[in-house]
Structure formats: C-alpha cells, structure tokens
Amino acid sequence: EVQLVESGGGLVQPGGSLRLSCEASGFTFSRYAVSWVRQAPGKGLEWVSSISSGGVSSSYVDSVKGRFTISRDNAKNTLYLQMNSLKPEDTARYYCAKGYRTVTVSSQGTQVTVSS
C-alpha cells in the first residue's frame, strides 16, 4: 500500500520560508517521479512541481518558479519542497503524490498559511 506522509507546514509571514517533507513507503520510491500538489481554500487541486525518479529533471508551475525548489533523497525515501519568498496566495494544503505532473492525491497533506 502506497503511503505518503507530509510534514513541515505552518504559519509564516509573507517573504518567509518553509521546507516541506514527504516520507514515502509501500513502493520503490527511487523508481518513480513524484510531485507536489496544493489546494487553496475554496479552489481545486493545483499541480505545483514534479521531479524525475533520479532527481535529474524537475518542473514547476509558473507561479512558483524561482521561489520553490523540489528535491528528493532516494536513500531516505523522502521528497522535499523548499519554499522561499512565500506569498499569501501560496496559502494552501500541500500534498505529495506519486507520478509526474499528477493531481491525484491520497494523503493527508500539510497546511501552509502565509499571513502577517
């Protein structure tokens, strides 16, 4: 059974930073691309970023380019999202997902709130 557990969310002021983590189990993590997906209050799921299985290539939605960095540690079965220069519009519940550019989520997510 695929299990993905996100952590690292919280309340941060505009311009601040957070680092999200996602611990994966139940599948061979190093063989799959993985993604971050978010859902803002009252809105649908939005793909944020993906990284290839080996971590060589990554992609981002335009709104986070230059501010967010996706990375992974296959030895630890863990996915990361470093979020800098956070804006109020980044407020959302963030999920990790198995697959490339997917918006199919099955985990609990972690809440990120950007507010002064």
Side-chain angles (χ1 to χ4, degrees):
E1 178 186 1
V2 173
Q3 289 198 333
L4 299 164
V5 180
E6 302 91 345
S7 62
L11 174 63
V12 62
Q13 293 187 341
S17 298
L18 281 175
R19 188 194 196 201
L20 306 184
S21 298
C22 170
E23 294 186 22
S25 61
F27 65 106
T28 307
F29 181 73
S30 60
R31 294 184 180 178
Y32 291 88
V34 281
S35 301
W36 286 101
V37 178
R38 67 185 179 184
Q39 186 168 29
K43 296 188 176 181
L45 292 166
E46 177 188 35
W47 170 77
V48 175
S49 180
S50 295
I51 188 167
S52 61
S53 58
V56 173
S57 61
S58 58
S59 57
Y60 301 89
V61 66
D62 284 349
S63 60
V64 308
K65 283 181 181 177
R67 301 188 297 120
F68 290 11
T69 302
I70 192 171
S71 62
R72 65 191 295 163
D73 185 337
N74 284 344
K76 295 182 178 179
N77 289 348
T78 302
L79 174 69
Y80 303 100
L81 186 68
Q82 178 67 43
M83 305 186 296
N84 299 329
S85 303
L86 282 161
K87 304 176 180 180
E89 51 263 44
D90 294 317
T91 294
R93 193 158 194 88
Y94 285 72
Y95 304 85
C96 56
K98 178 185 172 187
Y100 195 77
R101 286 189 174 249
T102 180
V103 291
T104 302
V105 301
S106 60
S107 51
Q108 296 293 320
T110 186
Q111 179 67 36
V112 172
T113 302
V114 185
S115 174
S116 55

